[in-house]
Amino acid sequence: MTDLIDTNPQTRRALFRSAGVVAAGIGMAGIATPLLAGAGKTTKKSTTMSSDVSVMQGALALEHEGIAAYRIAGGSGLLSKGVLDVALVFLGHHQGHRDSLAKLIAAAGGKPVEPKTDDEYIKELNIASLKSEGDVIKFAAGLEQGATNAYVGQLAAIKDHQLAHLFGQLGTDEAVHWAILNNAAGGTIQKAAYLFG
Amino acid sequence: MTNLRQNKARTAIGAVLAGIALAFGPAHAPAQAAGNPVTGQALYQAKCGGCHSLDANRIGPAHRGVVGRRIATAPGFAYSLAIKKLPGVWTAALLDKWLQGPQKLAPGSKMFLTIPDADQRADIVAYLVANASSAPARKAK
C-alpha cells in the first residue's frame, strides 16, 4: 500500500480538485491520488490501480441500477407520499455515490461505466411485476441488502485504504436504507451477529 | 516430583488443545460440505442479489443453468477476457473455489466479492445446483 500513496500534498490536493471529490468528506481524501499515482509507473502499481478501478466500475454499475430502480418505481404511482419522500432521499444518496465513483474512475484514467436503458432495467429487475407499495418496498429492500453485501464482500479485494474507507461509507449508507425498508416491510432480522459480509 | 507435575500439566494442556482443535476443526476444514439449497436461496438473494439474478444478466451474468454450463457462456453477457480464458464447465467444486476468490481463479475478471464462510458457500452452490436447469421459471407461468 505504501508505494501507492503520493506523498506530495500539493499534487494530492490538485488531484482531489480535479476529481471534484473534496467536498464528499474526509473519507474521500486521498483516494484519487494513490490511484493516479500508480498510473504507468510499475506493473505492480498499474495492476493495483486497475484492480481498484475495476472494483469501482462494478460499484458504479450497482449504483446506476439502484438509481434506475428508485426512479422507475418512484414514478410508478404505487407509492404514497410519505414513502415516496423517503425513496427520493435514498435516490439522492445513490446519485451521490454514483457521482463520487464516476469522478474517481475518470480521475484514475478509466471510463466510467454508463447506465443501461430504463427498458433494460425494467426487464432485468422484473419491475413490471411490482403491483403495490408493499411490493416496491420489499423489492427495494432486497436491492439494498444485495448492495450492502456487495460493498462489504469486496472490501478485502481493495488495495487502497482510502478507497476501502469510501466503500465502508457506501456500504453503511446501503445498510441504513435496508434497515428502514426491511422494517417498513415487516421483515425480520436475524438473531446472529454479522448481518452482512 | 516436579517432572511428574510438569508432565501432568503438559498432558492436561495437550488435551485441552486437542479439544479446541476438534471443536473448531470442522469449521475451518477446506473440504466441501453438502449444502442446503433452501438456506442457499436466502443467502443467494442476500449476498449475490446485488449483482446477479437467476434469469437476467445484470451486473453479473444470469445464474440459472450455470452448473454444468461452459464457463463464460451465459447468452448475452459481456464477459471479461480473464474469465473467457478459463476452460471447462462450472461444477459445484469449481463454483466453491470461485466464491473463495474469483481474482485468484481468474485475475482481471469483473467479480471481486468473496464468500469466506465454507458453509455459506456450500449452501449457495447447492441452490445453484438446484437451479441447474436452463429453463427460466417465468416460462412456467
Side-chain angles (χ1 to χ4, degrees), chain A residues 25-71:
Chain A
I26 194 168
M28 299 291 289
I31 295 168
T33 305
L35 289 169
L36 284 168
K41 288 188 177 177
T42 66
T43 302
K44 183 183 175 186
K45 287 178 181 175
S46 297
T47 303
T48 299
M49 183 186 72
S50 171
S51 166
D52 279 356
V53 169
S54 293
V55 176
M56 285 195 287
Q57 292 282 28
L60 179 57
L62 198 70
E63 296 294 344
H64 282 320
E65 187 184 77
I67 289 164
Y70 276 107
R71 185 168 41 72

Side-chain angles (χ1 to χ4, degrees), chain A residues 16 18-25 27-29 31-32 35 56-57 59-60 63-64 67 92-108 112 151 163 166-167 169-170 173:
Chain A
F16 289 143
S18 71
V21 294
V22 180
M28 299 291 289
I31 295 168
L35 289 169
M56 285 195 287
Q57 292 282 28
L60 179 57
E63 296 294 344
H64 282 320
I67 289 164
H93 293 167
H94 288 293
Q95 289 169 330
H97 299 166
R98 172 201 62 195
D99 294 346
S100 297
L101 289 163
K103 284 173 183 173
L104 286 170
I105 292 165
Y151 281 119
L163 182 59
L166 173 66
F167 266 54
Q169 291 180 299
L170 297 169
D173 275 6

Side-chain angles (χ1 to χ4, degrees), chain A residues 96-197:
Chain A
H97 299 166
R98 172 201 62 195
D99 294 346
S100 297
L101 289 163
K103 284 173 183 173
L104 286 170
I105 292 165
K111 184 179 183 301
V113 63
E114 295 288 336
K116 298 178 181 179
T117 66
D118 280 3
D119 284 347
E120 286 174 309
Y121 285 125
I122 288 168
K123 184 180 175 188
E124 291 175 9
L125 297 173
N126 200 19
I127 291 177
S129 68
L130 304 177
K131 303 296 182 194
S132 68
E133 183 170 86
D135 288 348
V136 174
I137 292 172
K138 276 185 187 173
F139 162 73
L143 288 182
E144 297 287 7
Q145 183 185 40
T148 307
N149 274 313
Y151 281 119
V152 176
Q154 294 180 101
L155 275 172
I158 295 174
K159 308 293 191 299
D160 186 288
H161 287 182
Q162 298 288 351
L163 182 59
H165 184 120
L166 173 66
F167 266 54
Q169 291 180 299
L170 297 169
T172 44
D173 275 6
E174 318 298 25
V176 169
H177 297 173
W178 170 79
I180 291 169
L181 292 163
N182 185 58
N183 188 57
T188 56
I189 194 162
Q190 71 180 44
K191 290 181 181 175
Y194 308 115
L195 276 64
F196 298 103

